[in-house]
Amino acid sequence: MSFINILGHDFQKEFLLKSIEKGRVANSYLFYGQEGIGKRLIALEFAKLLNCKRKNDRLEETPGGVCECSSCLKIDSSNHPDVTLVKCEDSSEIKVKQIREQIEDLIYLKPYEGKYKVSIVNDAEAMNTNAQNAFLKTLEEPPGEAVIILISSKPQQLLKTIISRCQRLEFFRLSDQVIEDCIKQKGELSQDRYAIAVKLSQGSLAKAILLDEELISERKRIIEKISELKKDSAVELLEFVDSIASQKSSKEHDHLKIFFEILFMWLKDILYLKSNISDENLVHKDFYEISKKLSERWSAEHILELRSFLEEAWVSLFHRNVNKQYVLENLIIKFAQA
Ligand SMILES: [Zn+2]
């Protein structure tokens, strides 16, 4: 990977390159914007450029091109003594202990072999209150060679005092064209799936990469099954829940998230149809008939209520680690009663 190989975000890449060229690298940055669009990749590539042993040549040749100097290779393999990536470990929080050990204890030491000490905090909003307060102290007096990069899709959960001390750089969802190019490049989907995959990705490359034929067929199964849940017996219902909850692949967690996103977008489609907004906005265009029927059967209040059940289930599963089987059963029952 290299700066120029990362799709999209031209303005942000240019901005960071220029800051190195002009010797105006900030001590702390906040990269924010929706999840899965490449903020962490760009932070790592920026760390590589900052410490690259061939930096001057590279800025003249192809700015941000691929480099295989020892420093860049070490960062690629997460082995560079001056570059740290802090992230959630075994829980949904970044704790104060991590901030102390992975940032405070290291950042005041001279760079070991690079020019800068780079600390990247992924999902920075996951720092709990103590961690954020500890972090604030480091931000107030960072040493000259320190570059701290906070990455967040929910910057509103960060202390205002943290945000105000950072050079802020917003990242936007990728254009449909960029996503489509990526899907084509990957070559795993048949051509008639491109349009729906682009819609499902919602501007996120991470999601576009996850989408395969299996997930797209899964979507069909989910929508068809849920739209006729009412006719099912309790046993069939629970079998259906089992089939979602027991996918044992390594991507299981992400698949479950996509299951939820499919439902979120689908409810939005139904609401669009209810409000007679142009069909152009529909994500699941190929399920027009089913969605239209439900939009006639359900009231707007009811659709919004289902949406809030979905949101609650999302929080229980992904932020509170409530038993998966239990959450999904409850959710499916709500849809069955709709
Ligand atoms: Zn290099």
Side-chain angles (χ1 to χ4, degrees):
M1 192 47 85
S2 75
F3 233 36
I4 44 176
N5 288 342
I6 297 175
L7 295 169
H9 310 306
D10 294 341
F11 167 79
Q12 292 80 350
K13 290 188 288 194
E14 186 68 20
F15 176 86
L16 293 169
L17 277 171
K18 282 272 178 303
S19 74
I20 298 181
E21 272 175 23
K22 294 186 175 160
R24 287 205 204 123
V25 176
N27 270 134
S28 43
Y29 291 89
L30 169 62
F31 289 3
Y32 66 103
Q34 90 174 51
E35 229 176 300
I37 52 177
K39 299 186 293 298
R40 186 174 47 91
L41 270 183
I42 289 193
L44 282 168
E45 288 305 318
F46 186 48
K48 275 158 76 174
L49 271 176
L50 285 169
N51 281 325
C52 181
K53 294 202 188 300
R54 297 184 53 240
K55 181 160 69 194
N56 293 335
D57 298 343
R58 286 178 66 199
L59 288 174
E60 278 169 27
E61 295 163 10
T62 31
V66 182
C67 176
E68 295 191 331
C69 76
S70 61
S71 172
C72 288
L73 287 177
K74 278 184 189 170
I75 295 176
D76 271 338
S77 57
S78 315
N79 247 336
H80 197 292
D82 299 316
V83 177
T84 321
L85 178 66
V86 182
K87 55 186 185 207
C88 296
E89 285 168 2
D90 316 321
S91 77
S92 52
E93 275 186 349
I94 296 176
K95 304 210 166 81
V96 68
K97 185 166 174 272
Q98 278 177 270
I99 297 298
R100 297 239 158 88
E101 288 173 0
Q102 296 175 21
I103 297 186
E104 276 181 24
D105 291 355
L106 301 176
I107 211 158
Y108 294 100
L109 304 172
K110 283 261 166 236
Y112 190 70
E113 61 171 73
K115 190 170 176 217
Y116 293 93
K117 281 267 177 203
V118 184
S119 306
I120 301 170
V121 184
N122 200 35
D123 295 328
E125 73 279 355
M127 285 189 283
N128 63 24
T129 316
N130 287 341
Q132 290 203 31
N133 281 317
F135 189 73
L136 190 56
K137 285 194 210 108
T138 316
L139 272 186
E140 277 164 355
E141 286 174 59
E145 303 92 353
V147 176
I148 297 168
I149 307 171
L150 298 179
I151 296 174
S152 180
S153 55
K154 302 184 190 77
Q156 66 279 12
Q157 291 175 17
L158 289 167
L159 294 176
K160 286 204 177 67
T161 36
I162 288 186
I163 296 177
S164 68
R165 283 187 168 79
C166 295
Q167 163 80 60
R168 296 179 287 276
L169 199 52
E170 182 169 9
F171 288 74
F172 302 97
R173 54 173 286 175
L174 295 163
S175 72
D176 286 356
Q177 192 56 55
V178 169
I179 298 281
E180 189 174 330
D181 290 347
C182 155
I183 292 169
K184 278 184 191 159
Q185 227 174 43
K186 221 179 69 168
E188 280 178 20
L189 290 178
S190 50
Q191 207 170 344
D192 57 329
R193 307 282 212 189
Y194 290 165
I196 180 68
V198 167
K199 285 271 188 194
L200 284 175
S201 303
Q202 302 273 294
S204 156
L205 208 54
K207 271 185 225 160
I209 288 168
L210 266 179
L211 286 167
D212 49 20
E213 287 286 343
E214 188 194 334
L215 261 176
I216 297 209
S217 319
E218 186 78 340
R219 175 191 67 109
K220 184 168 187 292
R221 202 170 71 95
I222 292 168
I223 291 187
E224 285 177 351
K225 194 77 187 168
I226 289 199
S227 63
E228 53 191 39
L229 264 180
K230 221 174 175 155
K231 298 176 205 143
D232 279 333
S233 68
V235 177
E236 269 180 274
L237 264 178
L238 292 179
E239 274 172 8
F240 177 60
V241 174
D242 272 345
S243 75
I244 298 166
S246 64
Q247 291 169 356
K248 285 285 174 245
S249 76
S250 57
K251 291 183 193 163
E252 181 193 1
H253 185 74
D254 295 320
H255 277 196
L256 198 56
K257 277 194 166 171
I258 290 186
F259 163 77
F260 270 78
E261 278 163 8
I262 288 172
L263 289 184
F264 273 122
M265 290 185 237
W266 184 45
L267 284 179
K268 203 165 158 191
D269 280 0
I270 298 175
L271 206 55
Y272 272 144
L273 288 168
K274 186 132 201 103
S275 331
N276 290 320
I277 295 175
S278 144
D279 301 350
E280 270 310 295
N281 293 312
L282 299 185
V283 172
H284 306 286
K285 264 190 193 157
D286 44 347
F287 289 100
Y288 178 85
E289 291 302 326
I290 294 181
S291 309
K292 184 75 188 161
K293 246 183 235 162
L294 286 175
S295 77
E296 284 156 9
R297 199 169 95 201
W298 291 346
S299 68
E301 290 75 25
H302 190 65
I303 300 169
L304 292 172
E305 194 185 22
L306 284 173
R307 204 190 139 82
S308 56
F309 287 139
L310 259 186
E311 280 162 0
E312 277 168 33
W314 173 280
V315 171
S316 302
L317 278 177
F318 302 115
H319 297 286
R320 297 209 190 102
N321 290 323
V322 180
N323 178 281
K324 187 164 63 181
Q325 192 76 23
Y326 171 80
V327 174
L328 288 174
E329 273 177 23
N330 270 322
L331 181 69
I332 299 293
I333 288 167
K334 300 281 189 219
F335 272 89
Q337 289 166 341

